[in-house]
Amino acid sequence: MMPKQTFFNLPHEKKQTLIRSAEAEFSRVPLYQASISNIVKEAGIPRGSFYQYFQDKEDAFFFLLDDLSRKRQEVFTNLLKKYDGDLFAALEEFFQIVITEVENLDFMRNTFLNMTYRIEDSFLKMFSGRQNEEQFREVSSLIDKRKLNLANDEELHHVMKILKSVVVHNFAAKFARNLTDEEAINNFTVEMKLLKKGLYYTTEM
């Protein structure tokens, strides 16, 4: 789902006003409770105008979430470059950056406390493999696979699915359990170290 072309044709200021109004509503309440009436009232437009720009409130929500995801992917790819392809180092700093960010905090809280598969997939597209092949290829090309015990790209795909689940779980736990930033970061770091080290102990040579 995408906004209609009429949305993209709006003057910049009107477009930003509508985006800010939608962000405010989805930050106030989760998607299923959000009101188009509140969005249009805040934006100062007739209700009918909303449907000239978006199919429904889900369309507006996922437009905002996809935009946030694009920004997150840029952060993550820059971190992979910073750490010379070290996937775990990049992930740990990525989590710290996102979890300590004040901007969009309420939007993220409502999103992660009302998680669906579609929301999870949209927020972390760069981890989603086949469903978002272009983003996955970009991230994959930056990962130093020599540091990973992987046989092929298929195994990388499954590893990224596992890592995505850990990332999403820790974001959700931060808000559901009202953890401090320090507590959330510590929990995530411990889980990343366990995954990096591996869990199966063997004495075989």
Side-chain angles (χ1 to χ4, degrees):
M1 298 171 66
M2 285 284 290
K4 300 177 182 179
Q5 188 58 46
T6 47
F7 171 79
F8 295 107
N9 292 340
L10 281 172
H12 177 74
E13 187 55 43
K14 288 186 177 180
K15 190 187 303 181
Q16 291 305 307
T17 297
L18 183 52
I19 288 172
R20 287 193 297 268
S21 299
E23 285 179 341
E25 180 63 6
F26 295 127
S27 296
R28 186 183 69 85
V29 293
L31 171 60
Y32 74 95
Q33 291 181 339
S35 165
I36 291 175
S37 296
N38 289 340
I39 295 174
V40 299
K41 181 179 179 181
E42 180 70 20
I45 62 173
R47 185 182 180 91
S49 295
F50 180 89
Y51 294 103
Q52 293 179 10
Y53 310 132
F54 298 100
Q55 187 71 27
D56 47 33
K57 66 181 181 180
E58 286 80 7
D59 197 13
F61 174 82
F62 281 101
F63 168 71
L64 295 177
L65 191 59
D66 285 347
D67 184 60
L68 190 59
S69 176
R70 283 190 292 272
K71 295 173 182 175
R72 296 288 175 266
Q73 180 169 351
E74 184 177 348
V75 170
F76 187 58
T77 54
N78 286 336
L79 288 170
L80 281 172
K81 294 173 185 176
K82 172 183 175 180
Y83 289 107
D84 297 320
D86 188 322
L87 176 59
F88 284 89
L91 266 176
E92 287 183 27
E93 184 165 345
F94 173 80
F95 187 83
Q96 291 180 36
I97 289 172
V98 176
I99 211 72
T100 56
E101 195 175 62
V102 175
E103 184 183 4
N104 300 314
L105 185 62
D106 290 331
F107 179 81
M108 286 184 58
R109 178 182 292 107
N110 285 332
T111 297
F112 280 99
L113 289 181
N114 297 274
M115 182 64 66
T116 65
Y117 179 80
R118 184 182 174 195
I119 289 174
E120 176 181 329
D121 192 53
S122 181
F123 184 73
L124 291 172
K125 285 185 176 181
M126 61 274 198
F127 291 89
S128 300
R130 296 184 185 90
Q131 293 84 356
N132 298 281
E133 194 65 38
E134 183 178 347
Q135 291 96 330
F136 184 78
R137 281 200 306 269
E138 179 185 2
V139 170
S140 176
S141 69
L142 295 171
I143 295 172
D144 185 353
K145 300 176 185 66
R146 295 171 301 177
K147 296 180 178 179
L148 301 173
N149 185 22
L150 300 175
N152 49 46
D153 286 343
E154 179 69 15
E155 290 190 356
L156 176 62
H157 163 69
H158 288 289
V159 166
M160 296 298 277
K161 284 173 60 178
I162 293 169
L163 292 173
K164 180 176 78 168
S165 297
V166 174
V167 171
V168 169
H169 162 75
N170 277 274
F171 278 133
K174 152 74 175 172
F175 297 119
R177 296 165 56 193
N178 199 27
L179 300 177
T180 65
D181 292 345
E182 183 178 4
E183 289 171 329
I185 291 168
N186 181 66
N187 289 344
F188 182 76
T189 301
V190 168
E191 292 183 14
M192 285 294 101
K193 286 181 178 178
L194 287 170
L195 286 172
K196 185 176 180 179
K197 183 172 62 174
L199 297 174
Y200 192 76
Y201 177 76
T202 177
T203 58
E204 293 178 9
M205 299 299 292

